Amino acid sequence: MLKIEDIQAINIEISSRCAARCPFCSRGQKIREYGNYDIKLADIKRLPKTFMAQLKRFSFSGNFGDLCTNPEFVDIVAYIKTLNPDVAMDGETNGMLQDAEWWRRLGAVFHHGDLIFALDGLEDTHHLHRRGTRFDTVTQHLKAFVSGGGSAYWKFIVFEHNEHQIAAAESLARDLGCSGFFVVSSREYTPHLRMPKTLDVEIKRDIYRMHLDRLAGHERRALCKPFNAGSIYIAADGTVHPCCFAHCMYISEHNRDFDYIVPLIEEYLSQINFKTNDIKNIIEGPYFKAVERQAPANDYCQLKCNRSRKLVRDKLTLYRKMFK
């Protein structure tokens, strides 16, 4: 049975809000009400200090929101560091909101970790996919984050309209002080946002399926994150889940194979919010116990969390350059 002492990592959606309007984002696929939520500093302070001290990693990458929409984010990171100075941190952002001083202060406290800035092209192309954001604003914020001491990575989602800019973007990433630059494929391509012609690109869902089809028998069993990696997901509304897929499924119902998770969440919804319930009771309670029983043999869980999961991530990265 899962115990709170087993948890080593948290992936947390620090806000449900986002300034961008990217066409393939899960924000456009919601079928349930999911309003504007933030994880506040007061919420984080509800978590036991002993629990915070045992964590090895904090990831700030939500399903629906962006960390820069939460005005308390710098203070939250600083508080976490006072309890656990060596905890590793990572996250991903479109970098659009707040001001340069806010980003500089974040860089000063966001150490022992890396922050990914999403920049899909250069000034004349970035906005075509990353709608609602401005290239010059994001690069100014990235530079301020680095000047404060933060380690930034530039993530470049490649399309036909920006593939010719990869070399120039890499050079600019180095000039801005990034620790690295990498190019990834999009989760979707359309007649308006077309697949690049010069790179060998595969769609994420096809890569997942290919790796699962190579496994047989017991090898196909899902390695559910809480029970195999000591990792949990916290959504901006405060609900605690075994992974980001579970929460995304509840809000968007994007895959019928993940059929057991929505009824479970509906049954236990009032019991799994850490803003109003004890985190220990959630982790050791009936929701996580039910997931532990059902996840290993579930088709969707096997697809997303089999032993080849890291190979999928590597396949999605088409090019990588490290500067530091």
Side-chain angles (χ1 to χ4, degrees):
M1 184 182 78
L2 188 68
K3 297 288 187 181
I4 190 172
E5 293 81 10
D6 299 326
I7 303 305
Q8 300 293 307
I10 292 179
N11 181 10
I12 187 167
E13 179 186 55
I14 210 71
S15 177
S16 68
R17 295 173 290 126
C18 187
R21 303 185 303 277
C22 305
F24 310 127
C25 180
S26 299
R27 292 179 63 84
Q29 302 170 12
K30 292 184 287 188
I31 66 169
R32 283 183 175 81
E33 178 66 26
Y34 189 62
N36 294 328
Y37 301 100
D38 285 329
I39 301 291
K40 299 184 181 299
L41 178 59
D43 300 323
I44 294 294
K45 288 183 175 181
R46 283 181 51 84
L47 296 171
K49 292 181 179 180
T50 53
F51 174 64
M52 299 290 280
Q54 78 189 31
L55 297 174
K56 305 296 184 186
R57 178 169 294 277
F58 250 95
S59 297
F60 301 96
S61 299
N63 285 325
F64 302 102
D66 193 287
L67 60 85
C68 71
T69 64
N70 188 327
E72 291 189 298
F73 184 58
V74 176
D75 296 330
I76 288 170
V77 171
Y79 172 74
I80 292 171
K81 284 293 186 179
T82 63
L83 301 180
N84 192 339
D86 296 325
V87 68
M89 291 186 168
D90 62 72
E92 185 167 338
T93 180
N94 60 51
M96 183 61 196
L97 299 185
Q98 311 303 332
D99 57 23
E101 176 59 19
W102 188 92
W103 287 99
R104 188 200 64 76
R105 290 193 297 113
L106 180 61
V109 295
F110 205 91
H111 45 78
H112 295 111
D114 306 300
L115 191 59
I116 295 170
F117 285 77
L119 286 155
D120 303 332
L122 298 178
E123 188 168 9
D124 60 332
T125 59
H126 167 72
H127 65 282
L128 297 177
H129 173 250
R130 199 67 55 169
R131 298 172 186 173
T133 70
R134 296 190 299 273
F135 181 83
D136 59 342
T137 299
V138 179
T139 52
Q140 288 171 15
H141 293 166
L142 186 159
K143 190 173 182 179
F145 176 77
V146 171
S147 72
S151 174
Y153 286 78
W154 179 326
K155 184 181 82 168
F156 184 116
I157 298 180
V158 65
F159 299 91
E160 182 183 352
H161 65 255
N162 64 12
E163 61 183 320
H164 64 288
Q165 297 178 324
I166 291 174
E170 178 187 330
S171 178
L172 179 58
R174 185 191 296 270
D175 292 343
L176 289 172
C178 290
S179 298
F181 170 86
F182 61 102
V183 178
V184 299
S185 58
S186 174
R187 68 169 64 176
E188 298 283 353
Y189 289 98
T190 69
H192 298 290
L193 292 168
R194 293 187 292 271
M195 185 177 293
K197 294 181 177 180
T198 61
L199 296 171
D200 184 15
V201 170
E202 296 179 68
I203 301 298
K204 181 188 290 188
R205 60 178 175 270
D206 296 333
I207 300 173
Y208 272 113
R209 177 56 60 185
M210 176 190 69
H211 281 291
L212 180 62
D213 289 345
R214 291 176 177 176
L215 302 176
H218 187 75
E219 291 181 331
R220 296 173 68 93
R221 288 178 64 81
L223 302 176
C224 191
K225 289 183 177 181
F227 316 104
N228 291 273
S231 174
I232 59 173
Y233 179 80
I234 299 179
D237 63 359
T239 55
V240 182
H241 302 274
C243 62
C244 64
F245 300 125
H247 179 248
C248 192
M249 179 64 186
Y250 178 65
I251 301 300
S252 65
E253 287 200 21
H254 59 283
N255 194 300
R256 293 179 181 177
D257 290 338
F258 206 5
D259 53 0
Y260 76 92
I261 200 69
V262 170
L264 281 183
I265 295 174
E266 289 179 336
E267 180 177 0
Y268 296 114
L269 189 62
S270 65
Q271 302 175 34
I272 60 173
N273 195 309
F274 90 101
K275 295 180 181 181
T276 54
N277 296 273
D278 187 274
I279 189 72
K280 182 178 190 294
N281 292 338
I282 297 172
I283 292 169
E284 299 179 3
Y287 174 46
F288 276 80
K289 289 178 182 176
V291 171
E292 185 175 18
R293 289 193 302 269
Q294 298 185 59
N298 177 259
D299 289 342
Y300 185 81
C301 294
Q302 290 182 351
L303 180 70
K304 291 292 187 177
C305 291
N306 62 65
R307 63 177 58 191
S308 299
R309 184 174 66 245
K310 291 183 179 180
L311 298 177
V312 174
R313 189 183 311 149
D314 292 341
K315 184 73 172 178
L316 289 170
T317 302
L318 306 174
Y319 175 80
R320 183 184 298 274
K321 181 69 174 182
M322 304 298 291
F323 306 132
K324 297 180 182 179

